[in-house]
Every structure is written in structure tokens, then in C-alpha cells.
Amino acid sequence: MMSENIENALNKQIRIEAESSQIYLSMACWAESKGFEGVAEFMFAQADEEREHMLRLLRYLIERGGSAVVSELSKPPSDFTSPKAMFEKVLKHEIFVSESINDLVSITFDEKDFATHNFLQWYVAEQIEEEATARNILDKINLIGDDKSGFYLFDKDVRAMIAQKPME
Ligand code: OFO
């Protein structure tokens, strides 16, 4: 049985992952509306991944005899100004998620819940990937600068990154 403290912290993270999914879904819609089809596909795939992250936590919580809570979600922003501004938001968001995972890991350590501590290591590794991907894309955007035609290749490049993501 897990402590109430851990149960609450896991439920908080479940909500964060679900909200991440909503944010990326909204980014996909924005990218689609601006003609960035590759970026849109990338964001749709990200939204699916975040839902998987949410489900993985939820199933773990149930498996350990905790009660999972499906909560309401905040409405994500819908206007992202430019690809650069959007991916800056992605990086900022993923850093926030990493911090939240770190806090969660630290609670499991304090409570000596080593099973949950072990379970969360997958998320620790995943966050390194997520932040690296966002930084990588921002580097590409900064290389393009104001070159409009560069964005055509950039869009194709980002679409190609979906396939390159390591399988889980
Ligand atoms: Fe769930 O990794 Fe992004 O937020």
C-alpha cells in the first residue's frame, strides 16, 4: 500500500501529464492552421505520448492499490505567435515537468517508497530526452533566422524527428 502523500503526488503528476497532452494538441492545431504540417504531426505525436505518460502513472497507481483521480484540466493557450515562440514554450514547459518529476522522486525517497522511486526512473530518463528534443529544435530555428525558405526544410525535418524517437 502506498502512503496518502505519494498517492496525492502521483495524482498531481497525472494531471500535469494530461495537461501536457492538451497543450501539445493545441500547438498541433496552431501549427496546422499556419501551414506547418510537419510540426503539426510532431505535436500530434507528442500529445499521444503525453497521454501515454499519464496512463502509465495511472495504471501504476491502481496496481499499487491507490485511487487514481481523473481531474479537470486547464485550457491550454491557442495562439503561439511563431514556431520559435512555440518551441520556447515547449522547452519551458518540459523544464517545469522535469522539476515536478524531481519533486516527486524526492518525496518517494523521504517516504522510503523505493518501488515508486524505481518506477519513476523511467520518467527521469524521459525528461532528459524531452528537454533535449526541444533544445535541438530551437537550435534549428535559430540557424534559420529570418530565412523564410528555411522553414520549409525545417518543417520536413521536424516531421522526420517523429520516426527517430526511440520506441518505448
Ligand atoms: Fe510527459 O513528458 Fe513532456 O511533459
Side-chain angles (χ1 to χ4, degrees), residues 17 20 50 53 93-94 97 127 130:
E17 301 292 343
S20 299
E50 297 298 352
H53 296 173
H93 181 71
E94 288 304 334
V97 175
Q127 283 312 121
E130 299 263 72

Side-chain angles (χ1 to χ4, degrees), residues 59-76:
R59 290 202 186 100
Y60 174 78
L61 190 43
I62 292 169
E63 192 182 298
R64 294 286 312 280
S67 33
V69 178
V70 177
S71 66
E72 62 172 356
L73 306 175
S74 310
K75 186 177 188 297

Side-chain angles (χ1 to χ4, degrees), residues 1-155:
M1 222 22 213
M2 61 176 50
S3 74
E4 207 184 316
N5 206 10
I6 301 268
E7 185 180 86
N8 290 340
L10 285 170
N11 272 316
K12 185 171 159 245
Q13 192 63 34
I14 285 171
R15 179 178 179 160
I16 288 175
E17 301 292 343
E19 285 180 337
S20 299
S21 183
Q22 296 292 90
I23 291 168
Y24 293 143
L25 202 55
S26 186
M27 287 179 172
C29 295
W30 180 85
E32 186 76 55
S33 75
K34 300 291 171 198
F36 293 109
E37 284 175 19
V39 173
E41 284 311 313
F42 177 86
M43 287 302 179
F44 278 124
Q46 282 297 117
D48 283 349
E49 266 197 31
E50 297 298 352
R51 184 172 162 81
E52 282 301 318
H53 296 173
M54 179 274 286
L55 282 172
R56 190 184 277 246
L57 283 160
L58 193 136
R59 290 202 186 100
Y60 174 78
L61 190 43
I62 292 169
E63 192 182 298
R64 294 286 312 280
S67 33
V69 178
V70 177
S71 66
E72 62 172 356
L73 306 175
S74 310
K75 186 177 188 297
S78 55
D79 187 5
F80 298 97
T81 322
S82 68
K84 183 174 178 174
M86 190 174 77
F87 280 103
E88 277 168 350
K89 247 193 172 62
V90 170
L91 178 58
K92 212 171 143 202
H93 181 71
E94 288 304 334
I95 290 171
F96 158 75
V97 175
S98 299
E99 281 166 2
S100 175
I101 294 285
N102 286 344
D103 289 346
L104 191 47
V105 170
S106 140
I107 295 171
T108 61
F109 205 76
D110 291 345
E111 301 231 354
K112 295 192 168 57
D113 183 342
F114 297 116
T116 305
H117 189 273
N118 189 40
F119 166 79
L120 289 171
Q121 295 313 303
W122 182 88
Y123 286 86
V124 172
E126 176 67 12
Q127 283 312 121
I128 295 172
E129 284 296 318
E130 299 263 72
E131 285 187 33
T133 302
R135 286 196 181 93
N136 185 358
I137 295 176
L138 276 172
D139 285 347
K140 287 179 195 288
I141 293 176
N142 287 329
L143 275 175
I144 298 166
D146 291 331
D147 175 9
K148 281 254 186 278
S149 62
F151 272 102
Y152 176 74
L153 285 175
F154 165 76
D155 190 55

